[in-house]
């Protein structure tokens, strides 16, 4: 009789099977792997993102070439993972409709400040916030400060997310968050400012010292933040 695997074991095995595909830069098979895992319920979309795609994006060594990844290889890997994410979007929205119907928790904007070009983590976060009921506008990498403020002013979100991967971009994050705080104060808006990304790690104190209201680094963090926001009909 086969031994039933735990969810953690399933995730580790899935990652071990995905890694050679991404190391080989085989976009087609990477997409097929992800869609098959979702359709068969081997993985749910949160596990796929957090236990397979995110670790693969951070993996520093190519197992096939037996050496650290070059910058161009990192870019290729990122591009493949972004394609996988986009191909999973219909599955994500079907799940969102099952969970939420035609309800919403409101608008959200996710940005990366000026000179922050790493947006993959923010892109995954956009989908996970969507899964939790938000209508997310993903602005993405290297967004000028004035354009961030304009987007938030027009969209009037419940949450404004600022994602930073490189620690050297924390200065730009501080400037962005401070200007969002000023916009909130001057406009009377009530949006909360969410910080996230590798530059913050698990340092809540760092995020709040820059002016953010909360730090979000996982789906569990997103769910906890979401329950504070009531559902409304569209």
């Amino acid at each position: 009789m086969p031994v039933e695997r735990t969810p953690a074991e399933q995730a580790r095995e899935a990652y071990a099977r995905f890694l050679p595909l991404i190391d080989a830069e085989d976009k087609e098979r990477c997409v097929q792997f992800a869609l098959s895992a979702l359709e068969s319920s081997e993985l749910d979309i949160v596990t796929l993102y957090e236990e397979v795609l995110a670790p693969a994006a951070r993996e520093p060594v190519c197992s096939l070439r037996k050496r650290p990844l070059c910058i161009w290889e990192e870019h290729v890997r990122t591009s493949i993972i972004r394609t996988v994410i986009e191909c999973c979007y219909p599955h994500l929205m079907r799940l969102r409709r099952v969970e939420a119907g035609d309800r919403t928790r409101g608008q959200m904007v996710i940005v990366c400040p000026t000179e922050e070009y790493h947006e993959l983590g923010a892109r995954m976060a956009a989908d996970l916030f969507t899964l939790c009921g938000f209508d997310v506008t993903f602005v993405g990498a290297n967004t000028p400060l004035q354009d961030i403020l304009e987007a938030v002013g027009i969209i009037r979100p419940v949450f404004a997310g600022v994602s930073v991967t490189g620690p050297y971009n924390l200065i730009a994050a501080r400037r962005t968050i401070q200007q969002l705080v000023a916009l909130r104060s001057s406009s009377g808006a009530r949006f909360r400012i969410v910080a996230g990304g590798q530059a913050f790690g698990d340092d809540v104190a760092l995020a709040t010292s820059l002016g953010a209201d909360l730090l979000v680094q996982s789906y569990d963090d997103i769910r906890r933040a979401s329950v504070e926001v009531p559902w409304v009909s569209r």
Side-chain angles (χ1 to χ4, degrees):
M1 184 174 181
V3 177
E4 186 174 345
R5 295 172 298 167
T6 67
E9 289 171 337
Q10 285 183 301
R12 285 194 295 270
E13 290 176 13
Y15 179 68
R17 286 188 285 117
F18 181 77
L19 195 57
L21 305 180
I22 193 75
D23 281 344
E25 298 167 4
D26 192 333
K27 181 187 294 188
E28 182 179 12
R29 291 180 66 197
C30 285
V31 170
Q32 289 173 345
F33 173 91
L35 295 181
S36 176
L38 293 174
E39 290 164 4
S40 68
S41 299
E42 177 189 359
L43 299 174
D44 59 43
I45 201 157
V46 175
T47 304
L48 174 66
Y49 278 30
E50 295 195 331
E51 304 298 332
V52 177
L53 300 183
R58 295 192 295 266
E59 179 63 51
V61 175
C62 175
S63 63
L64 296 182
R65 300 183 180 97
K66 307 298 182 183
R67 61 166 172 74
L69 292 169
C70 300
I71 291 176
W72 70 266
E73 292 170 317
E74 292 177 354
H75 289 183
V76 172
R77 178 172 296 222
T78 297
S79 175
I80 291 171
I81 293 173
R82 184 181 291 109
T83 298
V84 172
I85 291 170
E86 296 298 345
C87 289
C88 292
Y89 189 73
H91 179 91
L92 174 91
M93 293 309 297
R94 284 195 298 271
L95 185 58
R96 154 77 181 260
R97 285 190 290 271
V98 168
E99 296 290 330
D102 62 353
R103 299 178 302 163
T104 179
R105 294 188 191 273
Q107 300 285 336
M108 180 176 186
V109 176
I110 297 182
V111 303
C112 302
T114 305
E115 302 299 324
E116 178 54 78
Y117 294 94
H118 297 87
E119 65 175 20
L120 190 61
R123 177 65 186 80
M124 292 188 196
D127 278 2
L128 297 181
F129 271 102
T130 298
L131 192 59
C132 286
F134 293 91
D135 297 325
V136 181
T137 299
F138 175 69
V139 180
N142 187 34
T143 307
L145 177 56
Q146 191 56 45
D147 289 274
I148 293 173
L149 298 177
E150 180 179 348
V152 172
I154 291 173
I155 295 171
R156 303 180 69 83
V158 176
F159 285 141
V162 179
S163 177
V164 181
T165 299
Y168 42 84
N169 285 321
L170 285 171
I171 295 174
R174 179 192 296 275
R175 186 180 307 114
T176 299
I177 292 170
Q178 288 177 343
Q179 288 299 308
L180 286 171
V181 170
L183 173 64
R184 182 169 61 186
S185 177
S186 63
S187 67
R190 301 180 64 180
F191 63 85
R192 301 184 73 192
I193 301 169
V194 179
Q198 291 183 44
F200 291 100
D202 294 323
D203 195 341
V204 176
L206 173 60
T208 56
S209 73
L210 300 188
D213 297 302
L214 64 159
L215 177 66
V216 166
Q217 296 288 48
S218 68
Y219 179 66
D220 286 342
D221 292 341
I222 293 171
R223 282 197 309 166
R224 283 191 289 269
S226 299
V227 297
E228 301 176 14
V229 182
W231 289 100
V232 297
S233 298
R234 294 182 186 278

